[in-house]
Amino acid sequence: MAVRRPSYLAIAVISAIVLVSLYLVATRRDGTPIPSLGAGRVKALRPKLTDDIYNSTLGFEKIFVIGLPSRTDRRDGIVLEAALSNIDVEFIDGVQGKDVPDKAIPTGPGLERMPDPNVGSWRAHINAIQEVVRRNLSSALILEDDVDWDVRLRDQLYDFALSAHALTQPLANSTSSNSAPQYADTTFPDPRAGLPSIPDLAFDSLPATLAPTASPYGDQWTVLWLGHCGMRFPFPPSYHNDNNERAVPKGRVVRAADPTVPQQQHLWTISDPDDLKAQYANHTRVTHHMQDGVCSLAYAVTRKGARQLLLELGLKPLAAPFDIELRWFCEGGGGDAPRGGGGAGRHTCLTTQPSLFGIHLPAGPRKSSSDITDHGDGFQEKAVTRNVRYSVRMNADALMEGRRTDELVDQWPDANEVP
Ligand SMILES: *[C@@H]1O[C@H](CO)[C@@H](O)[C@H](O)[C@H]1NC(C)=O
Ligand SMILES: *[C@@H]1O[C@H](CO)[C@@H](O)[C@H](O)[C@H]1NC(C)=O
Ligand SMILES: *[C@@H]1O[C@H](CO)[C@@H](O)[C@H](O)[C@H]1NC(C)=O
Ligand SMILES: *[C@@H]1O[C@H](CO)[C@@H](O)[C@H](O)[C@H]1NC(C)=O
């Protein structure tokens, strides 16, 4: 009796059916991937060096994380987060203010010793900057240990870099050897030049600029203030006094419909007024020169910038908390307090709103949320990260299990917009 063997055709048909149904099962949840950036990038504006932003130090030479060794909980958190993001970090030990003797704090007439938490924070940041100088690093990103970021951080940084080029790299069509370079922002580098107000640069039609050679983020920056609790847009010229104190270049790169930016009811800032909310639609990101920044959650410095900061904020009289001195360093001159650090000169410091790095508040007693500021008594019911939608920390389980991107949690989902 002849056994009927299945024909090869039948096997092929059955395998195809099996494969197709497996595929359907795998995608049945029909989730759409989380919205990615990149669509608005102009292809021509992709300098090779800028691809280094996708490396393990985000296009900087090193990434330092500042934190007290005793806060092992925070080290655990940031080590895991960095691992899940394929980011390489090194710790710089935080300092308790009480361990810093008076003699070690540069002071001047009329200056009193600041409260211990501010002294400790200042010392820890200066230690990080000192390390950049000592190791002669070309650039470094310095993070506080309670920050969090979006799973799309590298794409966000890439877009930030393209925006930074538009603000500070010479226009590609302007450079002949015998004329001064021209910039898309006519108030850069001299904020007194240019018109009283200059038009926004749209992210999806940025002008062609010369490719940077020193850093993926451009060749002219000193500080990139990427994690903050609030910023203002550059003040209008009418604000500045005769010495042009606190005048910074006015250019803005505006990206509409950035899917990583939460709707405005979810945005958190301590700046008052909140310029971003007052002037732009939902999901808008604006990149500009630093003005009136608060909280040094995350900032990058160049080799030269670190040396200047060590001089101005390390060795000159300490007159204000570190973040305020960093603001003075960027804006130059002015300020209301007796001026110690900061120096008189202005420096090129770029930032973006909303902040790319957000403070992560874990669930638990609020007292543990900061060793500097008082978060009050009481209990943080639910962990949150301010301003970050697809937070790495809040999605740690899913990322570790290799779950699909559409299964990640959007912390700040959109309310339905009224059509
Ligand atoms: C990442 O890129 C930056 C900028 O080019 C470079 O300085 C740094 O060494 C790179 N990091 C790694 C780990 O390759
Ligand atoms: C620091 O780096 C610069 C640029 O690479 C180099 O010219 C200089 O010699 C270095 N200095 C030291 C002390 O290594
Ligand atoms: C150079 O490019 C800028 C921006 O694209 C444009 O506004 C300007 O007119 C150009 N200048 C010349 C000389 O072509
Ligand atoms: C942003 O979206 C929210 C929720 O739909 C809406 O209430 C608000 O008016 C929008 N804001 C702007 C500036 O359009």
Side-chain angles (χ1 to χ4, degrees):
M1 196 172 77
V3 178
R4 279 182 58 199
R5 291 209 232 130
S7 72
Y8 287 115
L9 178 65
I11 292 176
V13 168
I14 290 166
S15 322
I17 291 170
V18 169
L19 281 176
V20 168
S21 27
L22 277 179
Y23 174 77
L24 287 178
V25 168
T27 55
R28 212 176 44 178
R29 256 179 268 209
D30 190 34
T32 39
I34 66 173
S36 69
L37 287 165
R41 293 178 191 157
V42 181
K43 233 189 148 107
L45 295 173
R46 291 190 149 206
K48 186 93 192 58
L49 179 61
T50 303
D51 289 341
D52 284 1
I53 289 171
Y54 288 88
N55 76 15
S56 65
T57 47
L58 304 174
F60 304 103
E61 192 167 347
K62 276 273 181 290
I63 302 181
F64 291 126
V65 174
I66 295 177
L68 289 170
S70 59
R71 290 302 300 269
T72 49
D73 54 328
R74 290 198 179 178
R75 291 209 171 179
D76 292 345
I78 200 137
V79 163
L80 182 59
E81 173 165 37
L84 292 173
S85 302
N86 201 18
I87 289 175
D88 195 18
V89 298
E90 270 185 54
F91 285 103
I92 299 281
D93 286 349
V95 178
Q96 300 274 13
K98 66 176 169 48
D99 298 334
V100 182
D102 284 348
K103 276 187 205 161
I105 307 173
T107 188
L111 288 177
E112 283 177 24
R113 185 186 162 107
M114 272 191 299
D116 276 347
N118 295 127
V119 169
S121 159
W122 164 78
R123 194 56 243 167
H125 280 281
I126 299 297
N127 283 353
I129 288 164
Q130 185 202 74
E131 198 61 15
V132 179
V133 173
R134 196 178 66 79
R135 293 202 215 172
N136 199 25
L137 301 176
S138 57
S139 67
L141 176 65
I142 297 171
L143 305 176
E144 294 187 351
D145 62 356
D146 55 349
V147 296
D148 192 5
W149 52 80
D150 196 287
V151 297
R152 297 160 292 184
L153 176 65
R154 284 183 174 84
D155 289 341
Q156 291 177 311
L157 287 171
Y158 192 96
D159 289 355
F160 173 80
L162 296 184
S163 307
H165 299 172
L167 294 173
T168 59
Q169 288 292 110
L171 286 169
N173 64 5
S174 79
T175 38
S176 64
S177 48
N178 51 9
S179 68
Q182 306 238 293
Y183 297 91
D185 175 2
T186 50
T187 63
F188 180 81
D190 181 357
R192 287 163 306 182
L195 303 165
S197 82
I198 61 160
D200 288 351
L201 299 165
F203 180 80
D204 43 17
S205 56
L206 293 176
T209 46
L210 290 189
T213 55
S215 155
Y217 297 90
D219 293 339
Q220 315 235 28
W221 60 277
T222 305
V223 171
L224 305 176
W225 199 327
L226 300 167
H228 55 80
C229 311
M231 283 288 165
R232 300 291 309 279
F233 290 141
F235 296 145
S238 56
Y239 176 91
H240 309 299
N241 65 19
D242 291 345
N243 299 321
N244 271 288
E245 285 178 342
R246 309 186 66 196
V248 303
K250 312 291 174 210
R252 299 179 193 177
V253 173
V254 176
R255 179 173 185 150
D258 180 325
T260 70
V261 174
Q263 278 179 338
Q264 296 181 348
Q265 69 274 19
H266 299 310
L267 291 178
W268 177 88
T269 176
I270 62 176
S271 288
D272 184 17
D274 180 341
D275 291 341
L276 184 66
K277 273 189 207 172
Q279 298 181 31
Y280 292 97
N282 277 321
H283 302 302
T284 306
R285 170 171 298 291
V286 183
T287 299
H288 55 91
H289 287 260
M290 197 305 300
Q291 188 105 66
D292 229 14
V294 209
C295 301
S296 39
L297 302 178
Y299 57 96
V301 297
T302 56
R303 173 188 286 119
K304 187 172 172 199
R307 292 175 179 188
Q308 292 167 329
L309 283 163
L310 192 56
L311 174 64
E312 299 294 345
L313 274 62
L315 289 163
K316 293 194 180 168
L318 180 61
F322 179 82
D323 56 341
I324 305 303
E325 293 227 340
L326 184 61
R327 179 202 287 184
W328 290 342
F329 173 83
C330 290
E331 296 173 348
D336 326 285
R339 299 306 306 283
R346 202 172 50 74
H347 296 91
T348 300
C349 303
L350 298 170
T351 190
T352 187
Q353 298 188 61
S355 179
L356 292 180
F357 292 83
I359 305 173
H360 177 72
L361 299 169
R366 289 225 179 90
K367 271 206 180 324
S368 58
S369 287
S370 176
D371 295 313
I372 299 176
T373 48
D374 188 2
H375 283 250
D377 295 327
F379 205 80
Q380 179 76 29
E381 291 292 338
K382 200 171 155 275
V384 290
T385 299
R386 288 169 177 152
N387 301 335
V388 174
R389 294 191 73 159
Y390 288 91
S391 141
V392 174
R393 291 196 195 219
M394 314 275 286
N395 282 293
D397 307 23
L399 293 169
M400 261 183 282
E401 288 164 15
R403 274 191 246 155
R404 300 209 325 264
T405 56
D406 58 280
E407 295 175 315
L408 300 184
V409 178
D410 180 356
Q411 256 205 114
W412 307 111
D414 284 356
N416 286 334
E417 299 207 39
V418 188

